[in-house]
Amino acid sequence: MDGLNIAETLKGVVEDVVYRNEENDYTVLEISDSDNNLITAVGAIPPTAPGESVVLVGHWSFHKEFGRQFSFVSYEKTLPGDVERILQYLSSRTVKGVGPVTALKIVNRYGADTFDVIENHPDWLVDIPGITAKRAAAISDSFKEQSELRGAMMFFKNYIGVGEVTRVYRRLGASAVGLVTENPYILCGEDFGIPFERADAIAASLGIEKNNPERVLAGLRSVLLGQAVQGGHTCLPKDMLLRGAAELLGIDTAEILSLADRFVAEERLAEYTDGDSILVMLSQTAEAEAFIARRLYEIHNNAPSFSVSDVSSLIEAAEVRSGIKYAAAQREALFRCILGGVTVITGGPGTGKTTIVRALINIFDKIGWRVVLAAPTGRAAKRMSEATSAEAKTVHRMLEMERTVGDGVRFNRNERCPLDERVVIIDEASMLDLALTEALMRAMRRGSRLILIGDADQLPSVGAGNVLFDLIFSGRIETVRLTEIFRQSRESLIVTNAHSINNGDPPVLNATDNDFFFVRRENEREIPAAICELITKRLPRTYGKDITEKIQVITPSKKGYGGVEVLNRELQAAINPPAKFKKEKAAHGTVFREGDRVMQTVNNYEIEWERDGADGLGIFNGDIGVIESINAAEEYMSIRFDDRLVKYDFTLLEELELSYAVTVHKSQGSEYPVVIIPMYSCAPMLLSRNLLYTAVTRARQMVILVGRSDIPARMAHNKREIERYTTLRKRISEW
């Protein structure tokens, strides 16, 4: 029956642990069955030692390198009972402080009662030469920890993964099973991040009632967090939240309302009244929005003052040094940045934002104020560095992010240790979400300047919040909107078409001698083939084969003939087809191949990377890399993100997707030499002006639209913007 996924059971004793991956618990075991046959078994299992008895459920398979093996998906473990196996178990150094020599002494003394002595009578171990009272206690503690973890694994094994159980045990310790039995919904908290549905399954197995207050609170939190992920909301209107929770929980809305009011009174949830609407949010979200508004007020009202004549002199001196005569709007922006505490500069491509940043660096340097440049993503920071000839960092690096003992994340720059610089300039500020903005505000020094550079007409941040929009439309933050397109930029059809789109006018599609082109394919089924032909044949013939690496396909949706799913499949086959010398790894319905372009789809603050011999942490949503190698034996692939090399454990592959084509949302903050955008019919909310505008403004040298001729005009005319529920704008406007 080899090769068929028919569930079978394998019982035996662990003889050897051939390989173990500590990150994901993937383990290769040698098992002896009842007939003393030695069998290779592979799967995820917590730390296991020779001598343990196991019952594995899975199926037989054949590995091309290692032959016939048993792949298990579930397990049960028990400690050995006979003296020989007890000695084998202890000799494996599973219990800290016990090696082969000490194991033999203990087993010779206590025989089959060895485990009972270690767990319940550790003081007896002192009778054995070489074991002190302190060492005996340490041996007992280590053994008990293994027993507790084993119990936790058995309790949770039908509900959450091995790695998740380890994380739960690491944070809750010996009380893990008891605490979760008392309230399974603690697993839904930020410490563990386990979905509500899985915690709810544990609760159901324990007989917890549907209207249990902790279940209702977890359901309300789940709806709020789900909307934050899907829609970018930081809060929801109360009636909308109640409807969503009633659908999730399967109980009456009135009952949920009563409990929700109680949770607000207990400060386990928070409410904010905006006119006739009551908005509900997580307490920590309310605290974050209130803190940001308060901190902005402090920066706004504590800015060191300059006279207008002094500022004029500084600007004129900067013009002399740079050889540039600043336009009226640019001078206004410089004035406000120097005089004000918090300033937003917004404008489309070609309106001189970079010139302003260079001037600010120049002016503040003459004043003697240190400046730090930063952007939300590595690519945006790199582009900022290239444009200004000054170092720019990611916001995370500027705030000195690091991993904590509990696998959490903290920023070393905060109220107790603020940034050294007096001036903080953030580019691509439309990408700032609520969480990152809160961390930034906590690190701002009293009397400092905050200058946010961004394009308010682009899509908002991927994460929850609409920070730049809220600041601009609060009416309290100094804002300069740049609209004049400078002469050199007017020569680019990318720039002029971007502004046309933003004004609601269709882009020019009939130019053949500029940097903006249209390839007509009225039949949407032909779009993937047309894009593949452009990338592999037409563009390389005209511009050279090196252009292929400079092209990024950006599309409105994941679905449809021009969507990410279809295009990535077709483009992978065309650009990086299978070959004998290319290793592959299949995961979550995708085949990853050496040479593939991939994208990180969530912020992972904990993953380690190496660059020029130095280590760092963090690969973030939207980062694009190339798979350099795949190591099947050790279960990882090496991926290079620009100049950072990362070893990706196979358990992290759900955070990756192919990126020959990416959605417009995922392209934010990035810039590419050549952008190809499929024009096809998809969800109406995605055929919008700001989505097309964002896609076009990702291109530096060339834009090619491919598809139906009616779609560009439809998108330009559709000013529909999806509302994000937040309280930040209102809180700022109340200064």
Side-chain angles (χ1 to χ4, degrees):
M1 302 292 291
D2 285 4
L4 296 179
N5 292 331
I6 298 175
E8 297 187 51
T9 300
L10 172 65
K11 299 180 180 180
V13 177
V14 177
E15 297 292 347
D16 188 24
V17 180
V18 179
Y19 169 77
R20 176 171 172 74
N21 187 315
E22 297 295 337
E23 293 291 327
N24 62 3
D25 290 304
Y26 177 83
T27 308
V28 179
L29 301 171
E30 294 289 356
I31 307 291
S32 60
D33 64 10
S34 57
D35 297 324
N36 288 323
N37 296 314
L38 198 61
I39 299 165
T40 299
V42 298
I45 193 169
T48 306
E52 287 187 280
S53 297
V54 294
V55 179
L56 308 176
V57 177
H59 63 273
W60 292 99
S61 62
F62 190 87
H63 193 282
K64 61 183 179 181
E65 293 184 39
F66 306 115
R68 189 171 186 263
Q69 59 188 24
F70 190 80
S71 298
F72 60 89
V73 293
S74 66
Y75 60 86
E76 288 185 11
K77 300 199 305 176
T78 57
L79 287 172
D82 64 85
V83 173
E84 181 182 346
R85 292 300 185 184
I86 291 173
L87 177 60
Q88 184 184 22
Y89 177 86
L90 288 178
S91 297
S92 68
R93 300 184 186 277
T94 297
V95 178
K96 292 178 182 178
V98 179
V101 174
T102 303
L104 183 60
K105 291 179 182 179
I106 297 174
V107 174
N108 282 342
R109 182 67 175 268
Y110 298 110
D113 296 325
T114 292
F115 289 151
D116 179 61
V117 170
I118 292 175
E119 183 169 7
N120 300 309
H121 308 285
D123 52 307
W124 295 4
L125 297 176
V126 178
D127 295 339
I128 296 173
I131 299 182
T132 64
K134 183 177 180 180
R135 185 180 177 191
I139 290 171
S140 182
D141 289 344
S142 176
F143 181 79
K144 288 176 182 177
E145 183 177 339
Q146 293 294 329
S147 298
E148 291 159 359
L149 179 57
R150 184 182 296 105
M153 290 290 178
M154 292 300 106
F155 177 80
F156 289 115
K157 68 186 180 73
N158 293 325
Y159 304 104
I160 60 178
V162 172
E164 291 170 318
V165 177
T166 303
R167 187 164 67 248
V168 170
Y169 179 80
R170 187 186 304 138
R171 299 197 180 179
L172 299 182
S175 305
V177 173
L179 290 170
V180 172
T181 300
E182 182 180 340
N183 179 14
Y185 299 102
I186 62 174
L187 298 175
C188 301
E190 293 180 359
D191 284 347
F192 310 114
I194 292 170
F196 171 84
E197 290 75 12
R198 284 197 268 165
D200 205 33
I202 297 175
S205 73
L206 296 171
I208 292 176
E209 298 288 340
K210 278 192 170 185
N211 62 353
N212 181 285
E214 295 301 329
R215 180 174 187 265
V216 174
L217 176 61
L220 289 164
R221 289 176 57 89
S222 179
V223 173
L224 285 168
L225 290 169
Q227 289 297 319
V229 171
Q230 296 171 14
H233 307 298
T234 66
C235 55
L236 288 177
K238 195 169 188 176
D239 56 347
M240 182 186 295
L241 173 61
L242 294 176
R243 287 196 303 271
E247 183 177 344
L248 176 67
L249 296 167
I251 60 178
D252 187 69
T253 303
E255 198 167 6
I256 300 173
L257 172 60
S258 175
L259 285 169
D261 290 340
R262 173 182 143 188
F263 298 143
V264 171
E266 295 171 349
E267 297 185 353
R268 302 175 80 183
L269 292 176
E271 283 185 356
Y272 185 89
T273 302
D274 184 3
D276 297 331
S277 179
I278 298 176
L279 300 168
V280 184
M281 68 209 80
L282 302 178
S283 297
Q284 59 267 40
T285 302
E287 291 168 6
E289 292 194 320
F291 175 81
I292 292 168
R294 185 168 65 250
R295 194 75 181 91
L296 286 169
Y297 178 82
E298 292 170 356
I299 298 171
H300 176 79
N301 285 283
N302 288 283
S305 60
F306 293 89
S307 69
V308 172
S309 60
D310 286 343
V311 176
S312 294
S313 298
L314 288 168
I315 294 173
E316 289 165 4
E319 287 180 322
V320 172
R321 288 191 296 272
S322 64
I324 297 174
K325 184 69 175 176
Y326 303 130
Q330 291 178 317
R331 289 180 65 86
E332 180 189 358
L334 293 173
F335 259 98
R336 295 199 185 187
C337 290
I338 298 168
L339 291 172
V342 183
T343 309
V344 172
I345 300 172
T346 183
T351 55
K353 296 190 296 293
T354 300
T355 298
I356 292 172
V357 175
R358 291 197 199 102
L360 288 170
I361 296 170
N362 190 315
I363 290 169
F364 285 121
D365 179 63
K366 291 300 177 184
I367 295 174
W369 287 7
R370 292 177 59 187
V371 177
V372 60
L373 307 180
T377 68
R379 284 177 173 252
K382 183 178 180 181
R383 193 171 71 251
M384 193 180 189
S385 292
E386 293 169 349
T388 61
S389 300
E391 181 189 12
K393 308 173 182 178
T394 63
V395 177
H396 299 85
R397 182 179 163 215
M398 178 183 70
L399 300 180
E400 297 179 10
M401 182 197 75
E402 70 173 25
R403 183 166 50 188
T404 62
V405 174
D407 283 342
V409 170
R410 73 178 176 201
F411 295 99
N412 287 326
R413 293 294 183 171
N414 48 45
E415 297 100 320
R416 294 178 299 279
C417 183
L419 293 166
D420 297 324
E421 294 82 4
R422 292 282 297 275
V423 182
V424 179
I425 303 177
I426 307 293
D427 197 14
E428 293 289 353
S430 62
M431 298 184 67
L432 287 174
D433 61 17
L434 185 72
L436 193 56
T437 304
E438 181 190 9
L440 173 63
M441 290 296 101
R442 293 192 181 280
M444 292 293 296
R445 175 177 295 278
R446 184 177 178 83
S448 58
R449 295 283 199 273
L450 175 62
I451 300 166
L452 301 175
I453 315 289
D455 190 339
D457 295 313
Q458 291 183 16
L459 295 172
S461 60
V462 175
N466 200 0
V467 174
L468 186 66
F469 183 91
D470 285 344
L471 265 62
I472 291 172
F473 291 96
S474 69
R476 293 290 187 268
I477 303 297
E478 293 282 359
T479 300
V480 179
R481 182 177 286 272
L482 305 173
T483 57
E484 179 185 352
I485 306 173
F486 290 94
R487 181 182 54 79
Q488 61 270 31
S489 296
R490 286 198 298 269
E491 298 172 1
S492 167
L493 201 52
I494 295 175
V495 173
T496 55
N497 269 343
H499 285 271
S500 293
I501 292 166
N502 202 31
N503 291 329
D505 299 321
V508 174
L509 300 180
N510 56 5
T512 58
D513 59 349
N514 208 292
D515 53 9
F516 199 107
F517 305 97
F518 178 64
V519 176
R520 186 187 305 272
R521 290 293 184 275
E522 300 297 342
N523 185 341
E524 293 184 358
R525 294 174 182 269
E526 298 175 358
I527 291 175
I531 292 175
C532 287
E533 184 184 19
L534 275 169
I535 294 174
T536 60
K537 295 179 181 178
R538 293 177 61 180
L539 291 174
R541 270 200 307 264
T542 304
Y543 300 99
K545 62 181 181 180
D546 291 343
I547 196 172
T548 301
E549 297 179 358
K550 301 176 182 179
I551 300 170
Q552 181 61 58
V553 179
I554 300 178
T555 180
S557 175
K558 290 185 176 181
K559 304 295 184 181
Y561 292 111
V564 163
E565 294 174 358
V566 170
L567 288 175
N568 270 323
R569 186 172 63 246
E570 297 295 323
L571 288 167
Q572 182 191 43
I575 297 171
N576 189 35
K580 290 183 179 180
F581 59 88
K582 295 178 184 176
K583 295 179 181 177
E584 298 180 351
K585 169 63 181 176
H588 59 83
T590 300
V591 174
F592 294 101
R593 185 175 298 132
E594 290 176 342
D596 274 340
R597 186 189 297 181
V598 292
M599 172 180 279
Q600 176 76 10
T601 60
V602 297
N603 287 339
N604 187 328
Y605 298 99
E606 302 173 12
I607 196 165
E608 298 179 355
W609 48 259
E610 182 272 330
R611 175 173 57 202
D612 298 329
D615 297 329
L617 288 177
I619 298 294
F620 304 110
N621 193 351
D623 284 354
I624 289 179
V626 175
I627 300 174
E628 291 194 345
S629 63
I630 297 176
N631 189 322
E634 297 188 26
E635 300 275 313
Y636 75 86
M637 59 176 64
S638 294
I639 304 176
R640 186 169 296 280
F641 292 86
D642 294 325
D643 55 354
R644 297 166 295 167
L645 186 64
V646 180
K647 279 189 175 182
Y648 260 81
D649 189 274
F650 281 178
T651 58
L652 296 176
L653 296 187
E654 63 184 14
E655 298 181 2
L656 290 175
E657 60 185 31
L658 295 175
S659 64
Y660 297 100
V662 301
T663 62
V664 180
H665 287 84
K666 294 292 186 183
S667 73
Q668 287 174 260
S670 297
E671 190 176 78
Y672 312 94
V674 180
V675 168
I676 296 177
I677 310 170
M679 294 283 99
Y680 68 106
S681 180
C682 57
M685 68 179 63
L686 296 175
L687 295 178
S688 67
R689 179 183 304 175
N690 66 344
L691 193 139
L692 179 58
Y693 174 77
T694 300
V696 168
T697 54
R698 299 307 87 209
R700 190 164 61 245
Q701 298 172 7
M702 185 188 305
V703 169
I704 305 174
L705 306 185
V706 180
R708 286 170 41 183
S709 55
D710 62 314
I711 298 296
R714 280 180 57 187
M715 294 182 76
H717 291 153
N718 180 12
K719 199 179 186 314
R720 176 177 178 175
E721 296 177 6
I722 300 173
E723 181 181 5
R724 287 195 170 189
Y725 294 110
T726 78
T727 69
L728 182 59
R729 175 172 45 160
K730 183 71 172 177
R731 291 178 193 270
I732 297 172
S733 69
E734 292 173 345
W735 287 358

